[in-house]
Structures are given as C-alpha cells and as structure tokens.
Amino acid sequence: MQDIADHLKISKNSVSQALTGKPGVSEATRKLVETTAEELGYQYTKPRKQTEDTNQHPKNIALIASEYAFSLKSFFGEIYLSIEKEVKKRGMNLFIESVQIDASQESRLPELLKNHEIDGILVLSHVTTDYIISLINTGKPVVLIDHHDPLLQADAILTNNRFGAYNAVKHLIEDGHKEIAFIGDVEKSPSYQERLEGYSLALKRHNLVMNPDYIYSSIKEEQPNIFEIIFQSKELPTAWFCVNDGFGFHVLSGLQQKGISVPDEAAVCSFDNGQLSQISTPKITTMDIDLNYFGRKSVEQLLWRMDHKDEPFQEILLSPELLVRGSTLKGE
C-alpha cells in the first residue's frame, strides 16, 4: 500500500480505503488505485459490492424489549408494527424476543443472538442499563427506541419531551392559567423527567413561580393514588399537566367525581395521544407522537449505523404535535 501511495502521491490511508471498499475516497481515486495496484503486480481481494451482498444475504434485525413494553400495545405496539412493516419492505428479516425480569437482572443475552446471524439490534424502551450495555458489547450496531442514558453509547430515536411539554404548558398559560400542576412518576422513565423540565421551563419563560405544592413527581400511575391527591387537597390548581394519558384520564375522572367541571373550572392536558385521551369525556388535550414514523426512523437509523460504525453516536428528537381538545376548551 505504501508503494502504491508513493507512486500516486497520495496517503497510505487513502489507498487502504480504496482497496477495501470503504468510504472516504472518490470513485475516480478508487479506480486509479485499483488500476495502479494491478499494474505494479499486486494481488488483493476485491470487496463485494453492497448490492450483491444484500441480495445473497438478507440482513437480520433483532427487536428486543421487556415483557412490559411489549404489553403496551396502544403505544409500543404501534411502533413495533411500523418496524415490522419497514423491515419487510426493505427485504430484511425481523427476529423478536421479549426480555424477562430475571434475564435483564442477570444481563443474560437473548437466545436469538445465539441462534441467528444478527446484523443489527433495535431495543424498544427501557430494559436495564446493564442489560443494554451487554447488547452493545456484542459489537453489533444498536439503536435505542424511546430510551437513552448517559452510560449507553448507542444511537437513540426519541421524542422531544422537553419542548413537547413546554408547548403543552404554554397552551395552558395562554388560556389564562397560572396555577398549573405537574403529575407523573419521573423515576419511571427519562422521558417523564424531561417532561418535568419542559414544564418548569414554560413556567420560567412566562414569569410564573413553580409552586412545590403542585408538583406530584413521584406518584404511581394508579387511580387510588391520584384520587387521594384530588380529594384530600384543600386547594387545587386550575390546570393539570399530566405526564401521560393514563394520568390525564385519572385526573379528569377524579376532578369530575369531586364535582369540578372540566374544562370550565379546571383544565387537563396530557401526553402521547393514546386511547385513554380519546375515549374520555371530554376528550383530553394531548401531545401527539407519530408512532409510525418512530418505527420507520428507527430502522432507517440502524441501517445507517451498520454502514457508518465509526461515526459519532446520534440522538434524534422527533417533535410531538399539540392536539387541542375539549379538556382545555371552555364551552366545548
């Protein structure tokens, strides 16, 4: 390679990239290096073209998630169906395995990695950090879906939770509300912590003081817990920003059972645009996430990562859209 480099007055690295088929040199330089190598009498194995390799060996993609994530059909189920459709459209194979609690705690790798030649891994939502690190340590390209962590060196497809929450709370403020509660369990997901940060930013930008009495950031998503807050509080806020639609549904029900009219006396806004936000009366204003695009973008990013293994890791934020419904529209 050094002889060829000296002959053409280019770097040895460029010669290596040309002869191995790696990106970084132009097609003209690649052909020139190959021709020069043959003229100088050197023999080397030419890399197979990408199209030939793809046709002979369809890529195998693994989709891994906890049993809990797979059970949430109205959210992660839609992402899974989109992934399945996109993988099939691209002529690849999809292998799916749920991770049981004991396997995640012991960082026991899924059987499909042993039984199949897997080219890339999609991890749907959170398992455990140690478990995901074990997947990354296999050396296979990994893309995280709706989850990230400072310790995880992998690409991630995420909702822009901070700005989404900011826009939801901004909507409540513009409707005239100054006492706005936050409710959700931020320990459950990094997404929920980010939504709290977006809530806080919206109050700060609009010169509103965050009232600690209205921050319910460690409440489990269970009706009795939420009803207890509503029925035992002497003073309630005029608006509620709920970290997801489950909290929104329970808050709405609790307020109504206490005799508080929604939206005339209190407004409710949530996140995700799941089924619960759509079947409530009134329907709940929420932040809509394009789950179909979530799945397509995840597959697209994994394929990109397979071809660019040395590029810096990326976190791609998908912006949610505010859907204004009856829970914040007076007179609706």
Side-chain angles (χ1 to χ4, degrees):
M1 287 191 293
Q2 189 63 58
D3 288 345
I4 296 169
D6 293 341
H7 186 83
L8 295 175
K9 293 181 171 55
I10 61 176
S11 69
K12 182 179 177 181
N13 184 57
S14 295
V15 174
S16 174
Q17 290 173 320
L19 295 180
T20 57
K22 293 181 179 179
V25 294
S26 68
E27 190 61 29
T29 300
R30 191 184 310 280
K31 290 181 179 179
L32 182 60
V33 168
E34 291 175 350
T35 300
T36 303
E38 292 174 0
E39 290 175 350
L40 294 176
Y42 293 108
Q43 295 181 350
Y44 66 97
T45 302
K46 292 186 178 181
R48 286 183 298 175
K49 292 183 179 179
Q50 179 106 10
T51 53
E52 294 176 353
D53 185 63
T54 301
N55 291 333
Q56 294 178 11
H57 304 284
K59 295 186 185 302
N60 294 330
I61 306 301
L63 176 61
I64 296 169
S66 67
E67 290 182 320
Y68 174 74
F70 275 132
S71 72
L72 300 178
K73 296 179 181 179
S74 65
F75 188 85
F76 292 122
E78 291 187 44
I79 296 177
Y80 154 64
L81 290 175
S82 176
I83 290 171
E84 183 179 47
K85 183 178 179 180
E86 187 67 17
V87 167
K88 288 183 177 180
K89 186 178 78 172
R90 293 174 178 267
M92 302 182 296
N93 302 313
L94 183 65
F95 297 88
I96 303 165
E97 186 164 329
S98 61
V99 181
Q100 298 180 352
I101 294 176
D102 59 340
S104 65
Q105 292 175 340
E106 299 170 7
S107 296
R108 197 164 63 242
L109 292 177
E111 290 297 320
L112 61 80
L113 293 181
K114 304 174 185 177
N115 300 333
H116 304 281
E117 287 293 330
I118 298 299
D119 298 292
I121 301 172
L122 296 170
V123 182
L124 185 58
S125 187
H126 180 53
V127 187
T128 65
T129 298
D130 287 342
Y131 187 85
I132 297 175
I133 288 174
S134 296
L135 293 175
I136 294 171
N137 287 342
T138 64
K140 300 182 185 300
V142 174
V143 170
L144 311 178
I145 305 172
D146 197 42
H147 180 69
H148 62 154
D149 185 280
L151 298 178
L152 299 177
Q153 298 297 302
D155 296 333
I157 309 298
L158 307 163
T159 301
N160 195 333
N161 292 292
R162 291 184 182 88
F163 287 3
Y166 177 92
N167 287 325
V169 176
K170 176 175 174 284
H171 165 68
L172 295 172
I173 295 171
E174 290 176 346
D175 275 355
H177 296 283
K178 296 182 178 180
E179 297 177 341
I180 304 171
F182 172 93
I183 185 166
D185 184 5
V186 299
E187 295 297 325
K188 183 131 187 167
S189 168
S191 297
Y192 297 166
Q193 174 63 41
E194 291 159 12
R195 292 172 192 178
L196 174 58
E197 293 167 5
Y199 160 90
S200 174
L201 179 62
L203 294 183
K204 184 178 180 179
R205 285 278 183 90
H206 292 83
N207 299 314
L208 296 177
V209 177
M210 189 165 61
N211 187 342
D213 293 336
Y214 293 155
I215 307 298
Y216 308 105
S217 59
S218 58
I219 302 298
K220 302 300 179 185
E221 190 180 336
E222 298 170 357
Q223 187 188 76
N225 297 333
I226 299 168
F227 275 28
E228 183 180 355
I229 291 172
I230 294 172
F231 281 90
Q232 292 189 2
S233 297
K234 294 181 180 179
E235 293 185 10
L236 290 175
T238 63
W240 297 74
F241 171 62
C242 309
V243 80
N244 64 23
D245 293 325
F247 277 100
F249 185 84
H250 292 316
V251 167
L252 177 67
S253 300
L255 292 172
Q256 290 174 332
Q257 288 195 29
K258 193 173 181 177
I260 298 173
S261 175
V262 176
D264 296 325
E265 297 177 283
V268 178
C269 182
S270 59
F271 213 110
D272 292 341
N273 190 29
Q275 186 178 17
L276 289 176
S277 71
Q278 301 171 38
I279 65 172
S280 62
T281 304
K283 292 182 179 179
I284 301 174
T285 293
T286 188
M287 298 303 298
D288 178 49
I289 301 171
D290 190 338
L291 300 178
N292 287 322
Y293 184 66
F294 227 116
R296 297 198 311 272
K297 189 63 179 176
S298 301
V299 175
E300 178 184 304
Q301 183 64 20
L302 182 61
L303 294 178
W304 181 88
R305 176 52 64 188
M306 289 178 187
D307 294 332
H308 302 82
K309 293 183 180 180
D310 296 328
E311 295 290 335
F313 295 116
Q314 301 179 10
E315 289 192 348
I316 298 173
L317 299 181
L318 307 183
S319 298
E321 179 184 359
L322 177 67
L323 296 182
V324 180
R325 295 180 176 141
S327 68
T328 63
L329 286 175
K330 293 183 180 180
E332 291 292 317

